[in-house]
């Protein structure tokens, strides 16, 4: 019975797409059953990536539509880990594990290094072996394999196989080739297996060779692989089918057809080409995923920079408005200077002896050291160190935004078909920069207006000093200082 928490949405030759209780998954057909090769979150984004990956791995299967939501998944699907075909519920079996005899992988040898040396003497040495016996496992499906007993062997002398010939079993993920000598029904030879290992895009072909011994009695064949327990099968007109006992206790039938080394080489080449194709497809999928991530990251950076630019512009405007308080200090100082002038003029009319003292040390002092000080060190400083500095920082923010948007455009150009949700546009960037620049211009204009007002107050204060000194005939009046410069 299929597990209730597993549902299959689409099935191809090598892969299935579906979901478990906590994730969307893609299974891959393996010699020992269907196994999970990729997991995805149960979200719309997870569905988009998973269905796209499945379409690349299974281009001949109709593109699945829907989501990972339970109501969007076809009900009553078989458990993907069942080894029986999904369309034959009555034949489904539990996933099986390898018998003990097959854990015989030795040193892993690259396929290319073994594909050429196929026969030497009476026993042929061939390619590679899997550490597990296959699922389903034949050039023809084991469920449909028929056996046809042949007459009992009448061999009385040793009968080695024809050079380069043996028995071949192959699937999309493995190739088996066995050759032996038959001495009065006693078999001695080797089993060679090539199988895939690892996961795409780094899947490889591994290989090993193990001894085989056995007997033929009538239409029955028994084999011991790598000195393991006897496995029994039946001869057919063109080969033999042998049943291997799994750890679950079930028997698994694998059919071997008589084949030449050229047929074996073809099967090896096909397996290798399949691995290359799967790796290429997976690598392309990984590249696309990486490019999509780069695009989303760049888009997020642009959005962050737009928000930062708006905040910086607001800071510049606030700094300009705060100069009103600084300007008030200058205005207050000018008022105090004017009062000192009026008092000094009254003393001059009374012809007091201290008239020059007050003219120089009160009126002129206030003009030079209070009004001028406040103009330069309050208004001028605020304009330069607050407004102008904020404007320069804002200019840097504008440059950063332009740079980040260019990086987003570059990343997006590598994958034009992918546009993330709420991605920034050129219009949004241009509008943000225009608003920031307008805010800066307005803030600088306000600051320069306060500078002009402060310079005017300084000029008036020095005029007060001039009046006081001239009224008392106290000498030359002080020279007016250079005005506070505008910020740009």
């Amino acid at each position: 019975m299929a597990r209730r928490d597993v549902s299959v949405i689409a099935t191809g030759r090598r892969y299935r797409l579906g979901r478990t209780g906590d994730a969307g998954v893609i299974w891959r057909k393996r010699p020992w059953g269907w196994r999970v090769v990729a997991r995805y979150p149960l979200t719309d984004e997870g569905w988009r990536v998973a269905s796209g990956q499945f379409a690349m791995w299974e281009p001949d299967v109709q593109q699945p539509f829907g989501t990972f939501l339970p109501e969007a998944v076809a009900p009553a699907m078989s458990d993907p880990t069942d080894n029986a075909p999904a369309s034959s519920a009555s034949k489904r079996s539990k996933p099986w594990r390898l018998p003990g005899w097959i854990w015989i992988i030795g040193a892993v040898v690259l396929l290319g290094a073994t594909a050429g040396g196929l026969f030497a003497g009476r026993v042929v040495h061939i390619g590679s072996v899997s550490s597990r016996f296959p699922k389903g496992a034949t050039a023809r499906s084991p469920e449909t394999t028929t056996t046809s007993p042949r007459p009992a062997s009448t061999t009385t002398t040793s009968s080695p196989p024809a050079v380069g010939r043996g028995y071949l079993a192959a699937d999309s993920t493995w190739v088996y080739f066995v050759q032996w000598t038959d001495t009065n029904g006693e078999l001695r030879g080797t089993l060679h297996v090539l199988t895939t290992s690892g996961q795409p895009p780094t899947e490889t072909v591994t290989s090993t060779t193990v001894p085989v011994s056995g007997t033929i009695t009538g239409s029955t064949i028994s084999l011991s692989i790598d000195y393991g327990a006897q496995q029994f099968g039946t001869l057919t007109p063109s080969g033999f089918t042998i049943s291997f006992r799994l750890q679950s206790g079930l028997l698994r039938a694998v059919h071997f057809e008589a084949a030449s080394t050229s047929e074996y080489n073809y099967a090896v080449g096909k397996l290798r080409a399949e691995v290359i194709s799967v790796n290429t497809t997976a690598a392309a999928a990984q590249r696309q995923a990486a490019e999509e991530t780069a695009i989303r990251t760049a888009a997020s950076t642009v959005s962050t920079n737009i928000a930062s630019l708006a905040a910086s512009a607001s800071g510049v405007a606030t700094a300009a408005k705060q100069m009103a308080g600084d300007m008030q200090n200058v205005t207050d100082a000018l008022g105090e200077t004017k009062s000192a002038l009026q008092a000094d003029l009254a003393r001059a009319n009374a012809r007091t002896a201290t008239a020059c003292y007050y003219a120089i040390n009160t009126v002129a002092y206030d003009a030079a050291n209070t009004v001028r000080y406040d103009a330069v060190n309050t208004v001028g400083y605020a304009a330069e160190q607050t407004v102008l500095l904020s404007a320069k920082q804002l200019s840097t923010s504008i440059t950063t935004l332009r740079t980040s948007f260019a990086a987003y455009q570059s990343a997006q150009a590598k994958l034009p078909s992918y546009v993330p949700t709420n991605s920034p546009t050129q219009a949004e960037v241009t509008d943000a920069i225009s608003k920031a620049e307008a805010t800066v211009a307005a803030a600088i204009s306000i600051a320069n207006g306060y500078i002009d007002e402060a310079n005017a107050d300084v000029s008036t204060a020095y005029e007060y000093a001039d009046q006081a000194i001239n009224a008392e005939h106290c000498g030359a009046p002080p020279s007016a200082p250079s005005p506070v410069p505008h910020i740009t």
Side-chain angles (χ1 to χ4, degrees):
M1 179 179 295
R3 297 205 312 263
R4 294 179 181 177
D5 61 343
V6 176
S7 300
V8 176
I9 299 173
T11 300
R13 186 169 65 90
R14 292 169 58 90
Y15 295 91
R16 285 179 179 174
L17 169 65
R19 62 164 286 164
T20 63
D22 59 357
V25 295
I26 293 179
W27 294 272
R28 185 179 177 194
K29 186 179 181 184
R30 289 295 187 187
W32 53 95
W34 291 91
R35 289 296 179 265
V36 173
V37 295
R39 294 181 182 272
Y40 307 90
L42 296 176
T43 62
D44 290 343
E45 179 70 6
W47 168 258
R48 187 190 65 76
V49 176
S51 59
Q53 178 65 79
F54 179 77
M56 285 189 287
W57 282 348
E58 293 288 357
D60 296 332
V61 177
Q62 182 178 356
Q63 174 72 23
F65 294 95
T67 68
F68 280 133
L69 297 178
E71 60 269 19
V73 179
M77 299 297 286
S78 64
D79 187 334
T81 61
D82 288 347
N83 290 318
S87 61
S88 303
S90 63
K91 294 184 180 181
R92 289 196 293 269
S93 63
K94 296 181 180 179
W96 58 279
R97 297 184 177 275
L98 305 176
W101 60 265
I102 202 63
W103 297 97
I104 41 76
I105 291 186
V108 176
V109 182
L110 291 176
L111 175 61
T114 59
L118 294 179
F119 184 78
R122 294 169 60 184
V123 178
V124 175
H125 294 276
I126 55 171
S128 335
V129 168
S130 167
S131 62
R132 295 177 282 255
F133 226 77
K135 61 181 180 291
T138 68
R140 57 186 70 173
S141 173
E143 287 82 357
T144 59
T145 299
T146 58
T147 59
S148 177
R150 69 181 185 183
S153 173
T154 58
T155 302
T156 58
T157 59
S158 176
S159 56
V163 173
R165 295 196 62 83
Y167 297 93
L168 176 68
D171 201 340
S172 59
T173 58
W174 49 266
V175 173
Y176 288 0
F177 194 61
V178 62
Q179 291 184 307
W180 58 53
T181 59
D182 181 350
T183 305
N184 296 324
E186 295 291 328
L187 308 178
R188 292 291 184 273
T190 52
L191 173 68
H192 316 280
V193 179
L194 288 91
T195 189
T196 59
S197 62
Q199 300 294 335
T202 58
E203 188 177 65
T204 59
V205 176
T206 58
S207 63
T208 192
T209 301
V210 294
V212 172
S213 62
T215 61
I216 293 178
T217 305
S219 61
T220 301
I221 182 172
S222 67
L223 291 179
S224 171
I225 299 175
D226 198 24
Y227 308 107
Q230 292 288 321
Q231 311 291 330
F232 297 92
T234 305
L235 300 178
T236 68
S238 59
F240 63 94
T241 299
I242 194 159
S243 297
F244 296 99
R245 185 174 299 278
L246 311 180
Q247 290 183 355
S248 64
L250 299 176
L251 294 177
R252 187 76 176 192
V254 178
H255 184 71
F256 288 78
E257 275 300 304
S260 65
T261 53
S262 62
E263 290 172 310
Y264 163 76
N265 287 340
Y266 175 81
V268 170
K270 183 178 180 181
L271 177 63
R272 185 176 182 182
E274 182 72 13
V275 169
I276 292 174
S277 176
V278 168
N279 284 342
T280 300
T281 300
Q286 285 190 354
R287 286 194 300 272
Q288 178 171 334
E291 289 169 354
E292 290 180 1
T293 298
I295 291 172
R296 289 193 297 272
T297 300
S300 177
T301 300
V302 173
S303 298
T304 299
N305 289 341
I306 289 176
S308 177
L309 183 61
S312 297
S314 176
V316 175
T318 299
K321 291 178 181 179
Q322 290 174 343
M323 287 185 64
D326 300 324
M327 187 61 226
Q328 187 61 47
N329 292 336
V330 179
T331 302
D332 292 344
L334 179 63
E336 293 172 359
T337 303
K338 184 176 181 180
S339 296
L341 169 64
Q342 291 171 340
D344 187 72
L345 291 177
R347 293 186 187 92
N349 292 331
R351 301 297 180 180
T352 63
T354 59
C356 278
Y357 175 85
Y358 282 105
I360 295 173
N361 293 286
T362 300
V363 180
Y365 182 88
D366 284 348
N369 294 284
T370 303
V371 179
R372 178 179 177 276
Y373 179 89
D374 285 346
V376 173
N377 294 284
T378 303
V379 174
Y381 183 88
E384 182 176 352
Q385 298 299 318
T386 304
V387 177
L388 183 58
L389 183 60
S390 297
K392 289 180 178 179
Q393 292 173 340
L394 186 64
S395 177
T396 300
S397 297
I398 290 174
T399 300
T400 299
L401 174 56
R402 285 175 171 151
T403 301
S404 65
F405 186 68
Y408 165 72
Q409 289 178 312
S410 177
Q412 213 275 326
K414 296 178 180 178
L415 192 64
S417 60
Y418 178 71
V419 179
T421 304
N422 298 324
S423 59
T425 65
Q426 180 68 67
E428 290 174 334
V429 172
T430 300
D431 182 62
I433 292 175
S434 296
K435 288 180 179 178
E437 290 176 337
T439 300
V440 170
I444 289 177
S445 178
I446 291 172
N448 285 335
Y450 285 131
I451 288 174
D452 289 340
E453 187 177 348
N455 284 333
D457 284 355
V458 170
S459 179
T460 300
Y462 273 80
E463 289 177 3
Y464 290 161
D466 186 47
Q467 290 180 36
I469 290 174
N470 287 334
E472 303 296 341
H473 304 288
C474 297
S479 300
S482 300
V484 177
H486 279 182
I487 60 174
T488 57

